[in-house]
Every structure is written in C-alpha cells, then in structure tokens.
Amino acid sequence: MFARLMPHEGRFFEFFSEHATLIFQGATELEAMMRDASQSETRSRNIKTIENKADTVTHQTIQLLHHTFVTPIDRDQIHMLITRMDDILDLMEDVSQSVFLYDLRLIPDEAMRLAQICVTCAERVKAAVDLLGNMGNADKIMKICMEIDRYETDADRVLRSALAKLFRQETDTRELIKLKGIYESLEAVTDRCEDVANIVEGIVLENA
C-alpha cells in the first residue's frame, strides 16, 4: 500500500533524451569551431550555454531520482548514465575553452577529423538514448552501441596518427603542447561516448 502511494517512474527517459540533444548540439558547435577558428569566442560561449543547460537537466534527473520510489530501471544505472552523459559536454567545453584561450588560428586537419567523429558519436548517443524508453528497441540500441565503439576506435587511430605527425613536424614546443592537449581532449570525448554506450548496453541486457 505504501509503495503505491509513492512517486514512480518519473520523466527519466525524457531527461535522458533532452540531455542527449544538448550533447549533439555541443558537438555540432565544436565541429563548427574547428572549421572556423575565428569564431572560437562565439562557439565557446555557445558551448558553455549548452553545457549549463545540460547541468540543469542532470540536476533535475538526480533530484527526481531522490524523490522517486519506483524507478523504470536500476537507480544506479540512472545516476551513472546521466552523469556520464554530462561528462561528454564537460569535455567539449574544455576543448572549446582551450581553443579560445590558446588563440589557435590554424586548426590541423586531424583536429577537424576528430571533431567530426565527435559529432557522429554524439548523434549515435542521441539515437540510442531516444530508443531507451522502449525495450522493444533492444536490437536497434545494441547495434547503435556497437557503432559508437567502432567510431571510438577510429578516433584512437586518428589520435595516434596526429600525435606521431605532431612530434615529427612541430618545432615550436608551445604549439606542440597546445595541440597535443586539444587532440587528446577531442579523443576523450569519444571515450566518454563509448562509456555511455556501455552503460546503455548494460541497461538493455538487464531489462530487455
């Protein structure tokens, strides 16, 4: 009787989708920054705004979790998923702030390629999360998660190639340090996307 009177379910899947949309928006802004570094101040400001909105969604999700007696999936999985999703945008903001503060004007092709992979991973994260509310979508979700894993592997390869080229060709130590940090942070975005995919896979395996 007591359990029936308590809040249940909640808007968790709506919050997940809302956050995933913001991740995709952030990735799109980041890729645009890499295409035109002269817009770095505007793009970094836009990403900060998006990241603040995502923080709000994360806070709302955790607050709802604390006030919901019966949750649609495991409580720890809800908390882990929304916080790992938030990590993605935190890293995007770090990259955008670095590009702006370092005053980078010439963005190497490798950074552009990594930013493009970030967009693809973000789009796939959104696709998977949008389907998560219906376990009838289990096969589709698992396929998308496998795609994210492959894109993260692509990003690893681009990073290794970029670093090898950087250490061979860049003679300015300051530029080397700046670009190394940018490359590694961009690749880390895809790592966090893979983390989210792994969590989503776990949710599907336990609930489908």
Side-chain angles (χ1 to χ4, degrees), residues 96-156:
S96 68
Q97 288 293 316
S98 295
V99 172
F100 171 56
L101 293 175
Y102 293 165
D103 195 28
L104 292 180
R105 293 300 174 185
L106 294 175
I107 304 296
D109 291 342
E110 292 80 6
M112 182 66 196
R113 176 59 185 146
L114 285 168
Q116 290 169 341
I117 297 174
C118 288
V119 171
T120 303
C121 284
E123 186 277 327
R124 294 286 77 197
V125 164
K126 183 180 183 309
V129 169
D130 285 347
L131 294 172
L132 196 55
N134 181 354
M135 286 302 150
N137 295 318
D139 289 342
K140 292 180 182 178
I141 296 170
M142 295 298 279
K143 181 180 177 182
I144 293 169
C145 290
M146 290 175 61
E147 291 173 357
I148 294 170
D149 289 342
R150 288 198 296 270
Y151 288 122
E152 190 278 333
T153 299
D154 289 343
D156 281 343

Short mmCIF file of all heavy atoms in Angstrom, two decimals, residues 96-156:
data_model
loop_
_atom_site.label_atom_id
_atom_site.label_comp_id
_atom_site.label_asym_id
_atom_site.label_seq_id
_atom_site.Cartn_x
_atom_site.Cartn_y
_atom_site.Cartn_z
N SER A 96 36.66 23.56 -26.17
CA SER A 96 36.31 24.86 -26.75
C SER A 96 37.01 26.00 -26.02
O SER A 96 37.50 26.96 -26.64
CB SER A 96 34.79 25.07 -26.74
OG SER A 96 34.30 25.20 -25.42
N GLN A 97 37.08 25.90 -24.69
CA GLN A 97 37.77 26.93 -23.92
C GLN A 97 39.27 26.94 -24.24
O GLN A 97 39.88 28.02 -24.33
CB GLN A 97 37.56 26.69 -22.43
CG GLN A 97 36.15 27.00 -21.94
CD GLN A 97 35.83 28.48 -22.02
OE1 GLN A 97 36.63 29.33 -21.66
NE2 GLN A 97 34.65 28.80 -22.53
N SER A 98 39.84 25.77 -24.43
CA SER A 98 41.27 25.69 -24.75
C SER A 98 41.56 26.34 -26.10
O SER A 98 42.52 27.10 -26.24
CB SER A 98 41.73 24.23 -24.75
OG SER A 98 41.64 23.67 -23.46
N VAL A 99 40.74 26.02 -27.10
CA VAL A 99 40.94 26.61 -28.44
C VAL A 99 40.86 28.13 -28.36
O VAL A 99 41.68 28.84 -28.95
CB VAL A 99 39.91 26.06 -29.44
CG1 VAL A 99 39.99 26.83 -30.77
CG2 VAL A 99 40.14 24.58 -29.68
N PHE A 100 39.89 28.63 -27.61
CA PHE A 100 39.71 30.07 -27.48
C PHE A 100 40.86 30.71 -26.69
O PHE A 100 41.47 31.69 -27.13
CB PHE A 100 38.37 30.38 -26.81
CG PHE A 100 38.18 31.82 -26.42
CD1 PHE A 100 38.30 32.83 -27.37
CD2 PHE A 100 37.91 32.17 -25.11
CE1 PHE A 100 38.14 34.17 -27.01
CE2 PHE A 100 37.75 33.49 -24.74
CZ PHE A 100 37.87 34.50 -25.70
N LEU A 101 41.18 30.14 -25.53
CA LEU A 101 42.20 30.74 -24.67
C LEU A 101 43.60 30.62 -25.26
O LEU A 101 44.44 31.50 -25.06
CB LEU A 101 42.15 30.08 -23.28
CG LEU A 101 40.87 30.36 -22.48
CD1 LEU A 101 40.87 29.57 -21.18
CD2 LEU A 101 40.73 31.85 -22.18
N TYR A 102 43.85 29.53 -25.99
CA TYR A 102 45.15 29.38 -26.64
C TYR A 102 45.26 30.24 -27.89
O TYR A 102 46.34 30.37 -28.46
CB TYR A 102 45.39 27.93 -27.05
CG TYR A 102 45.55 26.94 -25.91
CD1 TYR A 102 45.45 25.57 -26.15
CD2 TYR A 102 45.78 27.36 -24.60
CE1 TYR A 102 45.60 24.64 -25.14
CE2 TYR A 102 45.92 26.44 -23.58
CZ TYR A 102 45.83 25.09 -23.85
OH TYR A 102 45.96 24.17 -22.84
N ASP A 103 44.12 30.78 -28.31
CA ASP A 103 44.07 31.63 -29.51
C ASP A 103 44.60 30.88 -30.74
O ASP A 103 45.37 31.41 -31.53
CB ASP A 103 44.89 32.92 -29.29
CG ASP A 103 44.57 33.98 -30.35
OD1 ASP A 103 43.45 33.97 -30.88
OD2 ASP A 103 45.45 34.80 -30.65
N LEU A 104 44.13 29.64 -30.89
CA LEU A 104 44.53 28.85 -32.06
C LEU A 104 43.85 29.41 -33.30
O LEU A 104 42.64 29.62 -33.31
CB LEU A 104 44.15 27.38 -31.86
CG LEU A 104 44.90 26.62 -30.78
CD1 LEU A 104 44.41 25.19 -30.72
CD2 LEU A 104 46.41 26.64 -31.03
N ARG A 105 44.61 29.63 -34.32
CA ARG A 105 44.07 30.18 -35.56
C ARG A 105 44.09 29.18 -36.70
O ARG A 105 43.25 29.22 -37.59
CB ARG A 105 44.87 31.44 -35.97
CG ARG A 105 44.69 32.60 -35.01
CD ARG A 105 43.25 33.02 -34.93
NE ARG A 105 43.00 34.04 -33.93
CZ ARG A 105 41.79 34.48 -33.61
NH1 ARG A 105 40.73 33.99 -34.21
NH2 ARG A 105 41.64 35.42 -32.69
N LEU A 106 45.08 28.30 -36.69
CA LEU A 106 45.18 27.27 -37.72
C LEU A 106 44.88 25.91 -37.09
O LEU A 106 45.67 25.40 -36.30
CB LEU A 106 46.58 27.27 -38.35
CG LEU A 106 46.95 28.52 -39.15
CD1 LEU A 106 48.41 28.44 -39.62
CD2 LEU A 106 46.00 28.69 -40.35
N ILE A 107 43.72 25.37 -37.41
CA ILE A 107 43.30 24.09 -36.84
C ILE A 107 43.74 22.97 -37.79
O ILE A 107 43.33 22.95 -38.95
CB ILE A 107 41.78 24.03 -36.65
CG1 ILE A 107 41.30 25.20 -35.77
CG2 ILE A 107 41.37 22.69 -36.04
CD1 ILE A 107 41.82 25.20 -34.37
N PRO A 108 44.57 22.05 -37.33
CA PRO A 108 45.04 20.97 -38.19
C PRO A 108 43.89 20.06 -38.65
O PRO A 108 42.85 19.95 -37.98
CB PRO A 108 46.02 20.19 -37.31
CG PRO A 108 46.42 21.15 -36.24
CD PRO A 108 45.22 22.01 -36.00
N ASP A 109 44.11 19.41 -39.79
CA ASP A 109 43.10 18.50 -40.33
C ASP A 109 42.75 17.40 -39.34
O ASP A 109 41.60 16.96 -39.28
CB ASP A 109 43.59 17.88 -41.63
CG ASP A 109 43.68 18.89 -42.76
OD1 ASP A 109 43.06 19.97 -42.65
OD2 ASP A 109 44.38 18.61 -43.75
N GLU A 110 43.74 16.95 -38.58
CA GLU A 110 43.49 15.86 -37.63
C GLU A 110 42.51 16.28 -36.54
O GLU A 110 41.66 15.48 -36.11
CB GLU A 110 44.82 15.40 -37.01
CG GLU A 110 45.77 14.72 -37.96
CD GLU A 110 46.56 15.68 -38.83
OE1 GLU A 110 46.45 16.92 -38.60
OE2 GLU A 110 47.31 15.21 -39.69
N ALA A 111 42.61 17.52 -36.08
CA ALA A 111 41.66 18.02 -35.08
C ALA A 111 40.26 18.12 -35.68
O ALA A 111 39.26 17.81 -35.02
CB ALA A 111 42.11 19.38 -34.55
N MET A 112 40.21 18.54 -36.94
CA MET A 112 38.93 18.62 -37.63
C MET A 112 38.30 17.23 -37.75
O MET A 112 37.10 17.05 -37.52
CB MET A 112 39.15 19.22 -39.02
CG MET A 112 37.88 19.40 -39.82
SD MET A 112 36.79 20.62 -39.08
CE MET A 112 35.26 20.25 -39.93
N ARG A 113 39.13 16.24 -38.10
CA ARG A 113 38.62 14.87 -38.23
C ARG A 113 38.11 14.34 -36.89
O ARG A 113 37.05 13.71 -36.82
CB ARG A 113 39.73 13.97 -38.78
CG ARG A 113 39.35 12.49 -38.88
CD ARG A 113 38.14 12.28 -39.78
NE ARG A 113 37.72 10.88 -39.79
CZ ARG A 113 36.46 10.48 -39.88
NH1 ARG A 113 35.48 11.38 -39.99
NH2 ARG A 113 36.16 9.21 -39.89
N LEU A 114 38.84 14.60 -35.83
CA LEU A 114 38.39 14.16 -34.50
C LEU A 114 37.08 14.83 -34.12
O LEU A 114 36.19 14.19 -33.54
CB LEU A 114 39.47 14.46 -33.46
CG LEU A 114 40.69 13.53 -33.48
CD1 LEU A 114 41.81 14.10 -32.61
CD2 LEU A 114 40.32 12.13 -33.01
N ALA A 115 36.95 16.12 -34.44
CA ALA A 115 35.70 16.83 -34.13
C ALA A 115 34.53 16.23 -34.92
O ALA A 115 33.41 16.13 -34.40
CB ALA A 115 35.85 18.31 -34.46
N GLN A 116 34.78 15.83 -36.16
CA GLN A 116 33.73 15.20 -36.96
C GLN A 116 33.31 13.86 -36.36
O GLN A 116 32.11 13.53 -36.34
CB GLN A 116 34.23 15.00 -38.39
CG GLN A 116 34.38 16.29 -39.17
CD GLN A 116 35.12 16.11 -40.48
OE1 GLN A 116 35.83 15.11 -40.70
NE2 GLN A 116 34.98 17.07 -41.38
N ILE A 117 34.28 13.10 -35.85
CA ILE A 117 33.94 11.83 -35.19
C ILE A 117 33.14 12.09 -33.92
O ILE A 117 32.21 11.35 -33.60
CB ILE A 117 35.21 11.01 -34.88
CG1 ILE A 117 35.92 10.63 -36.18
CG2 ILE A 117 34.85 9.74 -34.10
CD1 ILE A 117 37.27 9.96 -35.97
N CYS A 118 33.46 13.18 -33.22
CA CYS A 118 32.69 13.56 -32.03
C CYS A 118 31.23 13.81 -32.39
O CYS A 118 30.32 13.39 -31.66
CB CYS A 118 33.29 14.80 -31.38
SG CYS A 118 34.86 14.55 -30.54
N VAL A 119 31.00 14.48 -33.50
CA VAL A 119 29.62 14.75 -33.94
C VAL A 119 28.90 13.43 -34.23
O VAL A 119 27.76 13.23 -33.81
CB VAL A 119 29.60 15.65 -35.19
CG1 VAL A 119 28.18 15.74 -35.76
CG2 VAL A 119 30.12 17.04 -34.85
N THR A 120 29.57 12.53 -34.93
CA THR A 120 28.95 11.25 -35.26
C THR A 120 28.65 10.46 -34.00
O THR A 120 27.55 9.88 -33.87
CB THR A 120 29.88 10.43 -36.18
OG1 THR A 120 30.18 11.20 -37.35
CG2 THR A 120 29.21 9.13 -36.60
N CYS A 121 29.59 10.40 -33.07
CA CYS A 121 29.36 9.69 -31.81
C CYS A 121 28.20 10.31 -31.03
O CYS A 121 27.36 9.59 -30.47
CB CYS A 121 30.62 9.71 -30.95
SG CYS A 121 31.91 8.58 -31.48
N ALA A 122 28.15 11.64 -30.99
CA ALA A 122 27.08 12.33 -30.27
C ALA A 122 25.72 12.02 -30.89
O ALA A 122 24.73 11.80 -30.18
CB ALA A 122 27.33 13.83 -30.27
N GLU A 123 25.68 11.98 -32.22
CA GLU A 123 24.42 11.67 -32.91
C GLU A 123 23.98 10.26 -32.59
O GLU A 123 22.80 9.99 -32.38
CB GLU A 123 24.61 11.86 -34.41
CG GLU A 123 23.33 11.72 -35.23
CD GLU A 123 22.98 10.28 -35.54
OE1 GLU A 123 23.91 9.46 -35.71
OE2 GLU A 123 21.77 9.96 -35.61
N ARG A 124 24.93 9.33 -32.53
CA ARG A 124 24.62 7.93 -32.22
C ARG A 124 24.21 7.76 -30.75
O ARG A 124 23.33 6.96 -30.45
CB ARG A 124 25.83 7.04 -32.53
CG ARG A 124 26.20 6.94 -34.01
CD ARG A 124 25.23 6.06 -34.80
NE ARG A 124 23.97 6.73 -35.12
CZ ARG A 124 22.86 6.11 -35.49
NH1 ARG A 124 22.83 4.80 -35.55
NH2 ARG A 124 21.77 6.78 -35.78
N VAL A 125 24.83 8.53 -29.85
CA VAL A 125 24.40 8.51 -28.46
C VAL A 125 22.95 8.97 -28.36
O VAL A 125 22.13 8.34 -27.67
CB VAL A 125 25.31 9.41 -27.58
CG1 VAL A 125 24.66 9.70 -26.23
CG2 VAL A 125 26.67 8.76 -27.37
N LYS A 126 22.63 10.03 -29.05
CA LYS A 126 21.25 10.53 -29.04
C LYS A 126 20.29 9.48 -29.58
O LYS A 126 19.21 9.27 -29.02
CB LYS A 126 21.14 11.82 -29.86
CG LYS A 126 19.74 12.43 -29.83
CD LYS A 126 19.68 13.70 -30.66
CE LYS A 126 18.30 14.36 -30.56
NZ LYS A 126 17.18 13.45 -30.83
N ALA A 127 20.68 8.82 -30.67
CA ALA A 127 19.80 7.81 -31.27
C ALA A 127 19.55 6.67 -30.29
O ALA A 127 18.41 6.19 -30.15
CB ALA A 127 20.43 7.29 -32.55
N ALA A 128 20.59 6.23 -29.60
CA ALA A 128 20.43 5.12 -28.65
C ALA A 128 19.58 5.52 -27.46
O ALA A 128 18.67 4.78 -27.04
CB ALA A 128 21.81 4.64 -28.18
N VAL A 129 19.86 6.70 -26.90
CA VAL A 129 19.12 7.16 -25.72
C VAL A 129 17.66 7.41 -26.04
O VAL A 129 16.77 7.11 -25.24
CB VAL A 129 19.80 8.43 -25.15
CG1 VAL A 129 18.92 9.09 -24.10
CG2 VAL A 129 21.16 8.08 -24.55
N ASP A 130 17.38 7.93 -27.23
CA ASP A 130 15.99 8.19 -27.63
C ASP A 130 15.17 6.90 -27.70
O ASP A 130 13.94 6.94 -27.54
CB ASP A 130 15.94 8.90 -28.98
CG ASP A 130 16.32 10.37 -28.90
OD1 ASP A 130 16.38 10.90 -27.78
OD2 ASP A 130 16.57 10.99 -29.96
N LEU A 131 15.83 5.77 -27.94
CA LEU A 131 15.13 4.48 -28.06
C LEU A 131 15.02 3.75 -26.73
O LEU A 131 14.33 2.74 -26.63
CB LEU A 131 15.86 3.58 -29.07
CG LEU A 131 15.87 4.02 -30.53
CD1 LEU A 131 16.81 3.12 -31.33
CD2 LEU A 131 14.47 4.01 -31.12
N LEU A 132 15.69 4.25 -25.71
CA LEU A 132 15.87 3.51 -24.47
C LEU A 132 14.59 3.30 -23.68
O LEU A 132 14.49 2.36 -22.90
CB LEU A 132 16.91 4.22 -23.60
CG LEU A 132 17.54 3.45 -22.44
CD1 LEU A 132 18.16 2.14 -22.93
CD2 LEU A 132 18.59 4.31 -21.76
N GLY A 133 13.60 4.15 -23.89
CA GLY A 133 12.35 4.03 -23.14
C GLY A 133 11.51 2.84 -23.52
O GLY A 133 10.53 2.51 -22.84
N ASN A 134 11.85 2.17 -24.61
CA ASN A 134 11.09 1.01 -25.08
C ASN A 134 12.05 -0.14 -25.34
O ASN A 134 12.81 -0.11 -26.31
CB ASN A 134 10.32 1.37 -26.35
CG ASN A 134 9.47 0.23 -26.88
OD1 ASN A 134 9.53 -0.89 -26.37
ND2 ASN A 134 8.67 0.51 -27.90
N MET A 135 12.02 -1.16 -24.50
CA MET A 135 12.94 -2.28 -24.64
C MET A 135 12.62 -3.15 -25.86
O MET A 135 13.38 -4.07 -26.18
CB MET A 135 12.96 -3.12 -23.37
CG MET A 135 13.70 -2.44 -22.24
SD MET A 135 15.43 -2.07 -22.69
CE MET A 135 15.73 -0.60 -21.72
N GLY A 136 11.53 -2.84 -26.55
CA GLY A 136 11.29 -3.48 -27.84
C GLY A 136 12.31 -3.03 -28.87
O GLY A 136 12.47 -3.66 -29.93
N ASN A 137 13.03 -1.96 -28.54
CA ASN A 137 14.08 -1.43 -29.43
C ASN A 137 15.45 -2.02 -29.11
O ASN A 137 16.46 -1.50 -29.60
CB ASN A 137 14.16 0.10 -29.28
CG ASN A 137 12.91 0.80 -29.75
OD1 ASN A 137 12.33 0.46 -30.76
ND2 ASN A 137 12.48 1.80 -28.99
N ALA A 138 15.49 -3.08 -28.32
CA ALA A 138 16.76 -3.61 -27.81
C ALA A 138 17.78 -3.88 -28.92
O ALA A 138 18.94 -3.48 -28.81
CB ALA A 138 16.52 -4.88 -26.99
N ASP A 139 17.36 -4.54 -29.97
CA ASP A 139 18.31 -4.89 -31.04
C ASP A 139 18.86 -3.64 -31.72
O ASP A 139 20.06 -3.56 -32.02
CB ASP A 139 17.63 -5.79 -32.08
CG ASP A 139 17.37 -7.19 -31.55
OD1 ASP A 139 17.99 -7.56 -30.54
OD2 ASP A 139 16.55 -7.91 -32.15
N LYS A 140 18.00 -2.66 -31.96
CA LYS A 140 18.44 -1.41 -32.59
C LYS A 140 19.44 -0.68 -31.68
O LYS A 140 20.45 -0.15 -32.15
CB LYS A 140 17.24 -0.50 -32.87
CG LYS A 140 16.29 -1.00 -33.94
CD LYS A 140 15.15 -0.01 -34.12
CE LYS A 140 14.15 -0.51 -35.16
NZ LYS A 140 13.00 0.43 -35.30
N ILE A 141 19.13 -0.65 -30.39
CA ILE A 141 20.01 0.04 -29.45
C ILE A 141 21.38 -0.62 -29.40
O ILE A 141 22.41 0.06 -29.44
CB ILE A 141 19.38 0.06 -28.04
CG1 ILE A 141 18.07 0.88 -28.04
CG2 ILE A 141 20.35 0.65 -27.02
CD1 ILE A 141 17.27 0.74 -26.75
N MET A 142 21.39 -1.95 -29.35
CA MET A 142 22.67 -2.66 -29.28
C MET A 142 23.50 -2.43 -30.54
O MET A 142 24.73 -2.28 -30.47
CB MET A 142 22.42 -4.15 -29.08
CG MET A 142 21.76 -4.49 -27.75
SD MET A 142 22.75 -4.04 -26.30
CE MET A 142 23.86 -5.44 -26.23
N LYS A 143 22.84 -2.36 -31.68
CA LYS A 143 23.55 -2.09 -32.93
C LYS A 143 24.18 -0.69 -32.91
O LYS A 143 25.33 -0.51 -33.32
CB LYS A 143 22.59 -2.20 -34.11
CG LYS A 143 23.24 -1.96 -35.47
CD LYS A 143 22.24 -2.08 -36.60
CE LYS A 143 22.90 -1.77 -37.94
NZ LYS A 143 21.92 -1.85 -39.07
N ILE A 144 23.43 0.29 -32.42
CA ILE A 144 23.96 1.66 -32.33
C ILE A 144 25.16 1.71 -31.39
O ILE A 144 26.16 2.36 -31.68
CB ILE A 144 22.86 2.63 -31.86
CG1 ILE A 144 21.76 2.75 -32.93
CG2 ILE A 144 23.45 4.00 -31.55
CD1 ILE A 144 20.52 3.48 -32.44
N CYS A 145 25.07 1.00 -30.27
CA CYS A 145 26.18 0.98 -29.31
C CYS A 145 27.44 0.39 -29.94
O CYS A 145 28.55 0.85 -29.68
CB CYS A 145 25.78 0.21 -28.06
SG CYS A 145 24.54 1.06 -27.04
N MET A 146 27.27 -0.64 -30.75
CA MET A 146 28.41 -1.23 -31.46
C MET A 146 29.01 -0.21 -32.43
O MET A 146 30.24 -0.15 -32.60
CB MET A 146 27.98 -2.49 -32.20
CG MET A 146 27.63 -3.66 -31.28
SD MET A 146 26.98 -5.09 -32.19
CE MET A 146 28.37 -5.49 -33.25
N GLU A 147 28.17 0.59 -33.06
CA GLU A 147 28.67 1.62 -33.97
C GLU A 147 29.50 2.65 -33.21
O GLU A 147 30.56 3.09 -33.69
CB GLU A 147 27.49 2.32 -34.67
CG GLU A 147 26.75 1.43 -35.66
CD GLU A 147 25.51 2.10 -36.22
OE1 GLU A 147 25.20 3.23 -35.79
OE2 GLU A 147 24.84 1.50 -37.07
N ILE A 148 29.04 3.04 -32.03
CA ILE A 148 29.79 4.00 -31.22
C ILE A 148 31.16 3.44 -30.88
O ILE A 148 32.17 4.15 -30.93
CB ILE A 148 29.00 4.37 -29.95
CG1 ILE A 148 27.72 5.12 -30.31
CG2 ILE A 148 29.87 5.22 -29.00
CD1 ILE A 148 26.76 5.33 -29.15
N ASP A 149 31.22 2.15 -30.54
CA ASP A 149 32.50 1.52 -30.25
C ASP A 149 33.44 1.62 -31.44
O ASP A 149 34.65 1.89 -31.29
CB ASP A 149 32.30 0.04 -29.88
CG ASP A 149 31.65 -0.15 -28.52
OD1 ASP A 149 31.69 0.81 -27.72
OD2 ASP A 149 31.14 -1.25 -28.25
N ARG A 150 32.91 1.40 -32.64
CA ARG A 150 33.75 1.46 -33.85
C ARG A 150 34.25 2.88 -34.10
O ARG A 150 35.41 3.08 -34.47
CB ARG A 150 32.97 0.95 -35.07
CG ARG A 150 32.76 -0.56 -35.07
CD ARG A 150 32.40 -1.06 -36.45
NE ARG A 150 31.13 -0.51 -36.91
CZ ARG A 150 29.95 -1.07 -36.70
NH1 ARG A 150 29.86 -2.20 -36.01
NH2 ARG A 150 28.84 -0.53 -37.18
N TYR A 151 33.39 3.86 -33.89
CA TYR A 151 33.81 5.25 -34.09
C TYR A 151 34.88 5.66 -33.07
O TYR A 151 35.81 6.41 -33.39
CB TYR A 151 32.62 6.20 -34.01
CG TYR A 151 31.71 6.11 -35.22
CD1 TYR A 151 30.36 5.80 -35.08
CD2 TYR A 151 32.21 6.32 -36.50
CE1 TYR A 151 29.53 5.70 -36.19
CE2 TYR A 151 31.38 6.24 -37.62
CZ TYR A 151 30.04 5.92 -37.45
OH TYR A 151 29.23 5.83 -38.55
N GLU A 152 34.75 5.15 -31.85
CA GLU A 152 35.77 5.45 -30.84
C GLU A 152 37.12 4.85 -31.24
O GLU A 152 38.17 5.47 -31.04
CB GLU A 152 35.32 4.91 -29.47
CG GLU A 152 36.18 5.37 -28.31
CD GLU A 152 37.45 4.56 -28.12
OE1 GLU A 152 37.44 3.36 -28.52
OE2 GLU A 152 38.45 5.11 -27.61
N THR A 153 37.08 3.66 -31.84
CA THR A 153 38.30 3.04 -32.35
C THR A 153 38.90 3.88 -33.48
O THR A 153 40.13 4.05 -33.56
CB THR A 153 38.01 1.62 -32.85
OG1 THR A 153 37.52 0.83 -31.76
CG2 THR A 153 39.27 0.95 -33.40
N ASP A 154 38.04 4.42 -34.34
CA ASP A 154 38.52 5.32 -35.40
C ASP A 154 39.22 6.53 -34.80
O ASP A 154 40.27 6.97 -35.29
CB ASP A 154 37.35 5.79 -36.28
CG ASP A 154 36.78 4.70 -37.16
OD1 ASP A 154 37.47 3.67 -37.34
OD2 ASP A 154 35.66 4.86 -37.67
N ALA A 155 38.63 7.08 -33.75
CA ALA A 155 39.22 8.26 -33.09
C ALA A 155 40.58 7.92 -32.49
O ALA A 155 41.51 8.74 -32.54
CB ALA A 155 38.28 8.79 -32.01
N ASP A 156 40.72 6.72 -31.94
CA ASP A 156 42.02 6.28 -31.41
C ASP A 156 43.08 6.30 -32.51
O ASP A 156 44.21 6.76 -32.30
CB ASP A 156 41.92 4.85 -30.85
CG ASP A 156 41.30 4.81 -29.47
OD1 ASP A 156 41.26 5.86 -28.80
OD2 ASP A 156 40.87 3.73 -29.05
#
